[in-house]
Amino acid sequence: MSFFRRREAPKVDLNRLPRHVAIIMDGNGRWAKSRGLPRRAGHAAGAETFRTIATFAKELGLEYLTVYAFSTENWKRPADEVEAIMKLLEKYLHEAIETMARDKVKMAFFGDLSLLPAHLQALCRKTQEISKGYDGCQVNICLNYGGRDELLRAAKAFAMDCVEGRADPGHLTQKAFGDYLYSAGVPDPDLIIRPSGEVRVSNFLLWQCAYAEFYFTDVLWPDFSKEELLRALAAYQGRSRRYGGV
């Protein structure tokens, strides 16, 4: 692809891409603070970066992209910041619905959507319904998501199935338990990217990340570019994945 050479990006073998890349979109607030801007400006810039990276992931041929958009802990932030994030989400979903027929990007949501405003819940359902029949890149947006919360919900759902005779605890397998997670049917991430200089998981995909490769960078999310994604992919392709083997 010519844009690789033009931007002097790292060499990436497009025939050896990970199937599933997940990103913790972090650093919006610090990006805004460093520029003397309100935090909502950082979230707006981060939303544009998400749009760019999601489109580029589709162009590269990635099968799955999962992003951490709003955690179960993010409700603790100031009310005006939460409101700004929700408005950005609404704007993005309206735009996504308008372009879905053209872009053919499949969208799904991981998390407890019941705590979102009713109109946003409806938009999420509409977005998922429209994109059901599309092939190609699937973008999973984690909203009101937390890894521990996901595991608790899955455990409760399995326990209820056992009580009501639909499941047998003696036959529980990792695959069967995975079917109770928000990510049921989606392969585990091969690569998890964490911008912003933080080096932690932050309650993200705790079950699914068991054998994921991690890539950390000091770049704040609003500054995360196509080239940064290519650097992460190049680093991934330089590693040997042994899944606990020799």
Side-chain angles (χ1 to χ4, degrees):
M1 292 185 177
S2 61
F3 50 77
F4 289 178
R5 295 190 298 273
R6 185 170 65 250
R7 294 179 179 273
E8 298 181 354
K11 292 183 179 179
V12 173
D13 184 348
L14 298 182
N15 295 312
R16 294 194 304 115
L17 292 174
R19 289 188 69 193
H20 185 176
V21 173
I23 303 177
I24 300 172
M25 301 188 296
D26 189 25
N28 294 341
R30 277 171 284 166
W31 183 91
K33 183 178 180 180
S34 69
R35 288 162 174 76
L37 300 171
R39 289 177 65 88
R40 62 178 179 273
H43 293 304
E48 289 304 312
T49 297
F50 165 64
R51 189 193 314 275
T52 297
I53 294 302
T55 300
F56 189 51
K58 176 178 176 289
E59 293 173 357
L60 288 174
L62 290 178
E63 293 183 51
Y64 298 92
L65 174 68
T66 298
V67 295
Y68 207 1
F70 192 85
S71 76
T72 50
E73 291 76 30
N74 286 158
W75 295 107
K76 300 174 185 176
R77 294 184 176 186
D80 59 338
E81 183 178 351
V82 171
E83 182 181 4
I85 293 172
M86 294 300 162
K87 286 182 177 178
L88 283 170
L89 172 62
E90 180 179 4
K91 178 177 181 289
Y92 175 79
L93 291 178
H94 278 300
E95 292 173 354
I97 288 171
E98 291 176 1
T99 60
M100 271 183 168
R102 180 195 70 200
D103 297 340
K104 299 291 191 297
V105 172
K106 188 171 184 177
M107 294 184 68
F109 298 89
F110 296 172
D112 179 11
L113 302 185
S114 68
L115 295 183
L116 299 180
H119 68 286
L120 281 183
Q121 294 181 46
L123 272 176
C124 290
R125 289 193 296 269
K126 183 176 181 180
T127 304
Q128 288 189 131
E129 190 62 33
I130 291 173
S131 66
K132 269 184 180 178
Y134 296 156
D135 294 321
C137 184
Q138 174 171 319
V139 178
N140 306 307
I141 301 177
C142 295
L143 288 173
N144 193 30
Y145 173 89
R148 287 183 172 181
D149 179 72
E150 179 181 33
L151 291 172
L152 282 175
R153 287 172 178 274
K156 290 176 181 178
F158 175 70
M160 184 59 68
D161 279 353
C162 290
V163 169
E164 297 180 357
R166 292 188 296 270
D168 177 358
H171 291 87
L172 180 63
T173 63
Q174 291 186 25
K175 182 181 183 305
F177 187 73
D179 290 338
Y180 287 89
L181 302 175
Y182 292 124
S183 60
V186 175
D188 291 343
D190 302 292
L191 172 64
I192 295 179
I193 300 171
R194 175 88 191 234
S196 84
E198 303 293 348
V199 187
R200 58 176 180 269
V201 178
S202 293
N203 203 18
F204 184 50
L205 301 178
L206 297 182
W207 174 275
Q208 300 89 338
C209 77
Y211 282 102
E213 295 292 325
F214 283 81
Y215 178 86
F216 298 99
T217 174
D218 290 337
V219 174
L220 300 175
W221 175 246
D223 291 328
F224 193 90
S225 62
K226 296 177 182 179
E227 292 72 40
E228 290 297 332
L229 178 58
L230 291 173
R231 289 188 185 97
L233 294 173
Y236 168 84
Q237 290 184 345
R239 301 180 189 179
S240 175
R241 304 184 72 198
R242 295 185 294 275
Y243 300 93
V246 177

